Amino acid sequence: AVFVGGDIAKQLPKEAKRFQGIDKSWVKIMGRAHENINIVVCCTGDETMGQLLPHLLEQLELCQKSLTGYLEKKRLIFPRFFFVSDPVLLEILGQASDSHTIQAHLLSVFDNVKTVDFHEKDYDRITAINSREPETIQLEKTIMAQGNVELWLGQLLEMSKMSVHSV
């Protein structure tokens, strides 16, 4: 699902295409395995498995290398992403088209920011931050949670600092 859509597929089109090919081959292999009751015959009946599986692994490793580089770039833009694992970061980036999905990950990325409040009518406009305690601090200026998530999270971080200092 990582290469299926969204920013990752747009940023890494070669890897997305490569992964589609790998996935297609894997589905074919699994289809053959399902049809063949004897697993030994399925795996050793012809040389396809012996040649194809190492090739697929090699291709997957190339995808993984590119994906790691992509995540590194995102972490360099918003260094707090270094505090989250690759799977969590992939989830954040993969769900970035809906700004409200970040709520589940805020505590991983910010100190004691459990949730944010969004404007009632303007879906992507962040108006306040909420702690675990529960305390609410209105932002000095609202933040539009649109575009690259690492950019608007950076804006949220700066505005949070400014807003806390003004309290």
Side-chain angles (χ1 to χ4, degrees):
V2 171
F3 290 109
V4 172
D7 185 52
I8 297 171
K10 288 177 191 167
Q11 296 287 326
L12 303 171
K14 277 177 37 182
E15 283 68 25
K17 190 172 183 171
R18 177 180 289 138
F19 186 79
Q20 282 180 332
I22 294 166
D23 187 55
K24 196 182 248 184
S25 295
W26 182 253
V27 169
K28 284 181 185 177
I29 290 170
M30 290 298 104
R32 276 189 26 211
H34 186 275
E35 292 168 5
N36 197 332
I37 298 172
N38 187 332
I39 191 69
V40 175
V41 172
C42 178
C43 293
T44 61
D46 61 21
E47 293 181 26
T48 308
M49 292 287 231
Q51 293 173 351
L52 187 59
L53 288 178
H55 174 72
L56 292 179
L57 177 61
E58 183 181 301
Q59 294 300 305
L60 276 172
E61 286 172 347
L62 290 173
C63 289
Q64 178 68 43
K65 185 176 180 181
S66 296
L67 194 57
T68 299
Y70 170 81
L71 295 179
E72 183 71 17
K73 287 179 188 173
K74 297 295 184 178
R75 285 180 168 123
L76 291 173
I77 294 169
F78 187 65
R80 289 180 178 232
F81 280 159
F82 282 106
F83 297 116
V84 297
S85 65
D86 286 356
V88 170
L89 182 51
L90 285 170
E91 186 176 334
I92 291 169
L93 296 171
Q95 296 176 345
S97 59
D98 181 3
S99 58
H100 291 241
T101 61
I102 195 66
Q103 301 274 27
H105 305 289
L106 286 172
L107 279 173
S108 308
V109 183
F110 291 99
D111 289 332
N112 204 21
V113 174
K114 185 176 182 186
T115 59
V116 293
D117 292 341
F118 287 91
H119 192 272
E120 291 176 17
K121 295 179 182 160
D122 198 353
Y123 187 80
D124 291 325
R125 187 174 300 281
I126 299 173
T127 59
I129 56 174
N130 304 299
S131 70
R132 281 184 244 180
E133 275 66 39
E135 300 167 321
T136 299
I137 296 178
Q138 294 297 316
L139 296 175
E140 295 268 312
K141 294 180 189 170
T142 61
I143 300 295
M144 282 305 292
Q146 293 177 328
N148 292 346
V149 67
E150 67 276 11
L151 298 179
W152 61 260
L153 281 176
Q155 293 170 353
L156 179 61
L157 175 63
E158 293 308 312
M159 188 52 60
S160 297
K161 288 178 187 177
M162 256 185 8
S163 300
V164 167
H165 286 292
S166 71
V167 171

